[in-house]
Amino acid sequence: MRPIIQVRHLKKYFGDIKAVDDLSFEVREGELFAFLGINGAGKSTTINILCGVLDKDDGEVIVDGDAEVGGAAAKSKIGVVFQDSVLDRELSVADNLRFRAGLYGLSGGEYAARLKELSPLLSLDGLLKRPLGKLSGGQRRRIDIARALLHRPKILILDEPTTGLDPQTRKAVWNCVDRLRRETGLTVFLTTHYMEEAAEADYVVILDGGRLAAEGTPVELKNAYTSDFIRVYGETPALSALVEREHLCVSRRRDHLLIEVPSVAEAKRLLLTCPDAFPDFEVEKGKMDDVFLKVTGKALEGGGYA
């Protein structure tokens, strides 16, 4: 997959505050890219530069081969879903989308054709005549996504799209996003405080203090920054002997033991060395929550990690 966003040595300072400080990364076409950091890490500043809202102080930003970030060509390739909706709650869904389409230069038959394309992808049928304010949180999110896709962008920026939504609604929103990616090849640039969402990304960049703190696939980051675990149900004499012999780090829980190991390979060695010690078990990799905390030394706020 070719790079669709290239950021090279990007800098943006506000007086003595280095909001973005020599940041470089790439986003590949069609992937789900997670852009993580605590509030103030530089995520919003970077996104505002990508969208042409802010001018950079230094560096290079290329969107789909166009070096003129902020120009009409680059802007036309990006759609943004903000954490707080920019639509009018008093208007119907259809009126909201029609007015927004007008801002993109879409009207009449061209707008109707685009709405017809988006309706099955985002399950808009039955919602168009209803006031936006009467919809559920998940339904409003689908309308926000439709608004961002009216002009056929190649990149969809989702800025904490599921914050405040219940688990069932979050799942419904992600089902829509996944369908869009499968059927249209859309590139999704995600910021989130829910690490289980970041764990589903193709690639992850973690910011800290405006700088790149870590990057890689979720598996690469877990392998580099976290331990793995064997969850054992039922303590046996063979397991007790193995723990003592191998000096294993064990945490006792209500109905199982959690054994920390440095890698899946080490878990495999222990299982093969003494299979009688593990009558019922699961091998688990570390979590993205642990990666984030290890990389930054900070906890995310506002999501599934406190």
Side-chain angles (χ1 to χ4, degrees):
M1 296 183 292
R2 69 182 183 90
I4 195 167
I5 298 175
Q6 296 166 285
V7 175
R8 299 168 181 161
H9 305 293
L10 181 64
K11 296 181 181 179
K12 181 64 181 179
Y13 299 164
F14 299 97
D16 294 333
I17 300 174
K18 296 181 178 181
V20 178
D21 189 20
D22 198 24
L23 178 63
S24 298
F25 63 87
E26 286 187 350
V27 181
R28 297 196 170 272
E29 189 173 30
E31 73 180 0
L32 172 58
F33 177 91
F35 197 53
L36 308 181
I38 64 168
N39 294 335
K43 304 189 305 297
S44 295
T45 300
T46 303
I47 289 172
N48 286 335
I49 292 171
L50 285 174
C51 296
V53 176
L54 279 178
D55 293 328
K56 55 185 171 58
D57 291 336
D58 199 5
E60 186 176 31
V61 179
I62 300 173
V63 176
D64 196 27
D66 192 331
E68 189 187 356
V69 171
K75 285 183 177 179
S76 70
K77 297 170 183 176
I78 297 175
V80 185
V81 175
F82 301 99
Q83 183 177 347
D84 297 318
S85 178
V86 297
L87 298 178
D88 192 324
R89 295 173 62 91
E90 303 302 319
L91 295 179
S92 70
V93 170
D95 286 342
N96 265 295
L97 293 179
R98 184 170 62 254
F99 292 152
R100 291 289 166 171
L103 297 177
Y104 295 122
L106 299 175
S107 61
E110 189 176 9
Y111 161 68
R114 182 55 175 157
L115 185 60
K116 187 176 180 179
E117 292 173 358
L118 291 174
S119 288
L121 288 172
L122 292 165
S123 302
L124 302 183
D125 291 339
L127 301 180
L128 294 174
K129 295 182 179 180
R130 297 174 60 183
L132 186 78
K134 298 294 185 180
L135 302 183
S136 69
Q139 290 170 332
R140 288 197 299 272
R141 260 294 172 252
R142 298 208 306 270
I143 307 307
D144 286 328
I145 293 171
R147 186 269 309 160
L149 296 177
L150 284 169
H151 62 299
R152 293 183 174 84
K154 292 185 177 182
I155 302 161
L156 179 64
I157 295 178
L158 298 177
D159 188 10
E160 299 183 30
T162 59
T163 296
L165 300 181
D166 62 81
Q168 183 176 359
T169 303
R170 285 169 55 203
K171 181 176 176 59
V173 170
W174 275 109
N175 286 341
C176 289
V177 173
D178 291 341
R179 183 178 180 184
L180 283 167
R181 293 183 61 219
R182 287 195 311 271
E183 298 187 14
T184 70
L186 188 69
T187 302
V188 176
F189 186 111
L190 169 72
T191 74
T192 181
H193 284 152
Y194 294 105
M195 289 295 97
E196 64 268 32
E197 294 180 347
E200 297 299 317
D202 297 300
Y203 202 77
V204 178
V205 159
I206 299 176
L207 294 188
D208 190 24
R211 300 182 66 88
L212 190 148
E215 65 176 319
T217 67
V219 170
E220 289 170 345
L221 291 171
K222 290 174 186 178
N223 286 340
Y225 294 102
T226 70
S227 299
D228 296 324
F229 300 91
I230 307 174
R231 193 181 299 271
V232 187
Y233 301 93
E235 187 170 1
T236 64
L239 178 59
S240 298
L242 181 66
V243 167
E244 183 175 354
R245 183 170 69 250
E246 297 279 351
H247 305 291
L248 300 177
C249 180
V250 178
S251 299
R252 281 180 166 78
R253 307 297 170 87
R254 180 185 291 264
D255 64 348
H256 65 274
L257 282 77
L258 201 62
I259 301 174
E260 183 176 345
V261 291
S263 65
V264 171
E266 177 62 10
K268 182 178 180 180
R269 184 189 71 81
L270 292 171
L271 293 167
L272 292 175
T273 297
C274 191
D276 292 343
F278 304 96
D280 188 8
F281 68 90
E282 296 175 289
V283 177
E284 300 178 0
K285 297 197 69 64
K287 299 185 182 299
M288 285 300 297
D289 307 67
D290 302 316
V291 170
F292 190 90
L293 187 58
K294 184 70 175 290
V295 168
T296 67
K298 307 177 183 74
L300 281 170
E301 299 174 356
Y305 184 36

